[in-house]
Amino acid sequence: MPEERLLIAALGGVYEVGKNMYFLQYGNDIIVIDCGSKFPDESLLGIDLIIPDVSYLLNNIDKLRALVVTHGHEDHIGGIPYLLKQLNIPIYASRLTLGLIETKLKEHGLLRQTSLHCIDSDSVLNFGQITTSFFRTNHSIPDCLGVVFDTPEGTVVHTGDFKFDLTPVNKQYPDIHKMAAIGEKGVRFLLSESTNAERPGFTPSEKLVGAHMEEAFKKADRRIFVSTFASNVHRLQQVVDAAELTGRKLALLGRSMVNVVNVSKELGYLNIPEGMLIEPTEAAKLPPHEVAVLVTGSQGEPMAALSRLANTSNRLMEIGAGDTVLLAANPIPGNERNVSRIVDNLYLLGANVIYGSKSELHVSGHGSQDELKLMLTLMKPEYFIPIHGEYRMLHHHRLLAEAVGVQGDKVYILKNGDLVESVGGIVRQSGRVPSGQIFVDGLGIGDIGNIVLRDRRQLSADGILITVITLNQSDGRLLNEPDTISRGFIYVRNSDTLMEEVNKLVKDTLEKMSTADLGQWNIMKQTIKDVLSKFLYEKTKRRPMILPIIIEV
């Protein structure tokens, strides 16, 4: 197969919402777009973070030219420190996005060794035979960029996350004229986000939230707690404006909130009056009607500030009767239960909770169907690849593309790792590259796999039974009665008879084993596991993890 070909693939971000990562390759030049992370669901016990599998990039490290980042949300930048620990690649991002990346790199001790380049919508970069340019879009964070790749096989456009907000809070208007010019020039492939492909119409402007925020602040007569995405800088500014209007000081709870506010303030994206920001300890000393608090945890994360407040376990501050809590973010699908639990706890504390779509304290940062069709109409792509969404979203985006004139056989819904290839003007879906998800657990990256997770699920479901066996080193005889310990399986004091039966079964099993088997610990352990597993299931209908420990004396 000829080397001079164009390859496009997603390593994350399709069939899922989160850990966005894509790459484009022409010949010996690879450009990576975004490197995000996502948070685990309840089935991934103990996992802190999920990042994309970058095996293909590691195997082609000599061809890597750049990581281009479209904007500063976690699902687009959260995996960068873990990527840089495996390979060093220059990063190109807009000013605020770069500021948020720098904060992450400092935490991981990677800042000094990383090559960072600031770009804007007028930047033009050359990587081998790929010319890269940009256009400005709207989203729920400033400085968002769409990316244009001009290659010998045609132009490829990646939209990033976007909406068409014609009255943006920060005056960063979408560059519709530039998008139209790109489309007039000719777009071979369009990769466009699909998050709101099921939602009809247009997404409302962020500006509408400001008035409702101010109204909620005016009605509150005690402290106000506002929980939203820390990276939604527009929303943070509206909270600051409402606090200033009502004469309140502002405290911050949650590390990500503190980091984003500090970076945004330092770079001029967040205007906070002098003296407004105070420490949580100071807020506790002020009259309640003079205090507002910005907190993390709008998605119900168990360890975030809002959850700790709702559980009365936050050491810096408490929510009391009559306080107002504003949830200025809608739950991401899958988080509804956690958010509902927090709302219940807040009501039990006597708080006035304002949440949900009827509160009008949140609008999406993603374009709805008419905006997705507008992007398709402006770009007029020959081939279309819907990205950034679960399958049903990608499917609906395909239907929108066909409705505005894209031929159905030129729409590719890809799985992570699927390749689209263009060579000599001929386009086809061809093969796969390694892809998947890597689990981050504490300091470990990728060392937790399905076997460990299976063990964790078993422990969480049925507990563990440990049986300690002491043998004579010379002849393998049992020196003491087996000692069995239960954790999370049964309460031993109420199950004396069962534990005695377990110990007797272990003893009988050892006595029946041959001398040769007694000399091989693996055979002994497996035999004891099999016998006990069958016995315990018959007695309890449970399957605890069974761990034999053999000691030779």
Side-chain angles (χ1 to χ4, degrees):
M1 189 171 289
E3 181 65 26
E4 297 300 307
R5 55 180 176 149
L6 174 66
L7 297 176
I8 301 169
L11 297 178
V14 293
Y15 280 44
E16 63 182 344
V17 175
K19 72 177 182 67
N20 292 278
M21 191 177 200
Y22 315 89
F23 76 82
L24 175 140
Q25 178 176 355
Y26 185 80
N28 289 317
D29 302 306
I30 297 176
I31 300 176
V32 182
I33 307 104
D34 293 336
C35 181
S37 61
K38 72 175 184 177
F39 292 108
D41 59 32
E42 293 176 348
S43 67
L44 299 176
L45 301 170
I47 300 302
D48 299 320
L49 207 61
I50 304 171
I51 56 176
D53 182 343
V54 294
S55 301
Y56 181 79
L57 304 181
L58 292 172
N59 292 335
N60 292 273
I61 196 167
D62 58 318
K63 299 178 182 179
L64 290 177
R65 303 292 174 255
L67 168 61
V68 175
V69 185
T70 59
H71 66 283
H73 278 155
E74 282 296 308
D75 57 336
H76 295 259
I77 70 171
I80 290 177
Y82 306 99
L83 174 70
L84 293 177
K85 288 175 182 178
Q86 301 175 77
L87 53 87
N88 201 346
I89 180 173
I91 297 175
Y92 295 81
S94 58
R95 190 159 168 259
L96 177 60
T97 306
L98 214 56
L100 296 173
I101 292 172
E102 285 178 354
T103 300
K104 289 186 170 296
L105 298 185
K106 285 178 186 175
E107 292 177 354
H108 288 261
L110 297 168
L111 185 57
R112 290 186 178 181
Q113 64 200 61
T114 305
S115 176
L116 300 174
H117 305 270
C118 189
I119 57 174
D120 58 29
S121 59
D122 296 322
S123 298
V124 178
L125 310 171
N126 290 296
F127 304 105
Q129 298 184 72
I130 305 173
T131 300
T132 306
S133 55
F134 307 89
F135 57 92
R136 189 170 56 247
T137 62
N138 294 126
H139 189 37
S140 54
I141 188 172
D143 278 8
C144 295
L145 297 172
V147 193
V148 183
F149 303 98
D150 288 311
T151 78
E153 286 288 328
T155 297
V156 181
V157 174
H158 185 295
T159 65
D161 289 1
F162 74 93
K163 64 192 278 190
F164 285 97
D165 190 342
L166 303 181
T167 57
V169 173
N170 63 349
K171 309 297 183 186
Q172 289 186 354
Y173 297 94
D175 204 339
I176 297 176
H177 295 291
K178 192 170 186 177
M179 296 180 208
I182 294 166
E184 284 300 319
K185 182 181 173 184
V187 172
R188 193 79 188 284
F189 296 94
L190 174 65
L191 284 70
S192 183
E193 72 125 326
S194 311
T195 310
N196 277 350
E198 300 170 279
R199 185 179 296 180
F202 278 83
T203 299
S205 170
E206 179 70 28
K207 202 163 189 176
L208 298 176
V209 174
H212 296 290
M213 187 74 69
E214 290 177 1
E215 182 182 356
F217 267 64
K218 289 176 182 176
K219 288 181 178 179
D221 52 12
R222 286 181 57 82
R223 288 180 302 179
I224 296 177
F225 294 81
V226 184
S227 186
T228 188
F229 296 108
S231 57
N232 192 339
V233 179
H234 306 322
R235 193 72 46 79
L236 303 187
Q237 185 64 61
Q238 290 172 327
V239 172
V240 169
D241 294 343
E244 183 181 20
L245 180 69
T246 54
R248 293 175 182 265
K249 299 290 187 181
L250 186 64
L252 309 175
L253 283 179
R255 188 180 67 169
S256 60
M257 187 66 73
V258 172
N259 287 342
V260 171
V261 167
N262 287 341
V263 170
S264 303
K265 186 172 181 287
E266 181 182 335
L267 296 177
Y269 292 89
L270 195 57
N271 300 312
I272 303 178
E274 192 70 29
M276 175 181 279
L277 274 183
I278 59 173
E279 294 296 323
T281 50
E282 296 177 63
K285 301 173 185 176
L286 293 174
H289 66 277
E290 294 181 10
V291 176
V293 187
L294 264 170
V295 300
T296 56
S298 62
Q299 297 305 302
E301 302 94 320
M303 302 305 292
L306 184 62
S307 181
R308 290 180 178 273
L309 287 168
N311 294 329
T312 66
S313 60
N314 190 295
R315 59 184 177 82
L316 297 174
M317 197 171 285
E318 293 181 351
I319 291 179
D323 288 342
T324 297
V325 181
L326 309 179
L327 294 184
N330 290 339
I332 293 171
N335 293 340
E336 295 90 349
R337 183 186 301 174
N338 289 342
V339 174
S340 296
R341 188 180 301 122
I342 285 177
V343 171
D344 283 344
N345 289 341
L346 291 170
Y347 274 123
L348 284 169
L349 293 174
N352 174 32
V353 190
I354 302 175
Y355 65 100
S357 56
K358 292 182 180 179
S359 70
E360 299 184 288
L361 290 174
H362 175 71
V363 295
S364 176
H366 302 272
S368 298
Q369 288 181 349
D370 286 346
E371 288 150 289
L372 299 181
K373 288 191 287 186
L374 177 56
M375 179 64 78
L376 284 157
T377 303
L378 290 170
M379 293 298 174
K380 296 186 289 190
E382 184 180 354
Y383 292 90
F384 176 56
I385 302 174
I387 58 171
H388 193 348
E390 295 169 0
Y391 182 78
R392 66 184 186 280
M393 303 169 188
L394 307 177
H395 170 75
H396 282 284
H397 206 171
R398 179 219 292 265
L399 298 180
L400 296 176
E402 293 175 358
V404 297
V406 180
Q407 295 179 28
D409 61 349
K410 293 185 176 182
V411 179
Y412 291 97
I413 295 183
L414 306 178
K415 296 178 181 177
N416 289 328
D418 287 348
L419 284 171
V420 168
E421 174 189 72
S422 178
V423 55
I426 298 173
V427 176
R428 61 176 184 153
Q429 188 174 332
S430 62
R432 287 181 54 79
V433 297
S435 66
Q437 49 190 25
I438 302 298
F439 300 133
V440 178
D441 186 358
L443 296 176
I445 304 171
D447 58 341
I448 302 298
N450 290 330
I451 294 175
V452 175
L453 286 173
R454 182 196 64 196
D455 287 346
R456 289 181 179 181
R457 292 188 193 106
Q458 187 177 2
L459 284 168
S460 70
D462 291 319
I464 185 170
L465 196 75
I466 302 170
T467 183
V468 181
I469 304 158
T470 306
L471 300 179
N472 187 308
Q473 189 175 22
S474 58
D475 58 15
R477 288 184 302 104
L478 191 65
L479 291 180
N480 298 313
E481 293 292 320
D483 185 16
T484 303
I485 304 163
S486 168
R487 292 290 181 271
F489 170 51
I490 55 173
Y491 186 49
V492 175
R493 291 185 182 178
N494 294 339
S495 307
D496 292 340
T497 303
L498 180 63
M499 298 304 279
E500 288 173 4
E501 291 177 354
V502 167
N503 289 334
K504 185 177 185 303
L505 185 59
V506 172
K507 184 178 179 180
D508 292 345
T509 302
L510 290 172
E511 289 175 350
K512 291 177 183 177
M513 294 180 70
S514 67
T515 305
D517 289 341
L518 287 172
Q520 299 184 55
W521 285 15
N522 287 340
I523 294 176
M524 291 173 62
K525 288 181 177 181
Q526 191 58 52
T527 303
I528 291 168
K529 281 183 185 179
D530 293 342
V531 170
L532 288 184
S533 179
K534 183 179 179 181
F535 171 76
L536 291 173
Y537 185 74
E538 289 175 355
K539 290 289 185 178
T540 67
K541 299 303 179 186
R542 301 177 198 167
R543 298 188 187 277
M545 179 178 288
I546 298 170
L547 184 62
I549 298 176
I550 301 173
I551 302 172
E552 281 190 337
V553 178

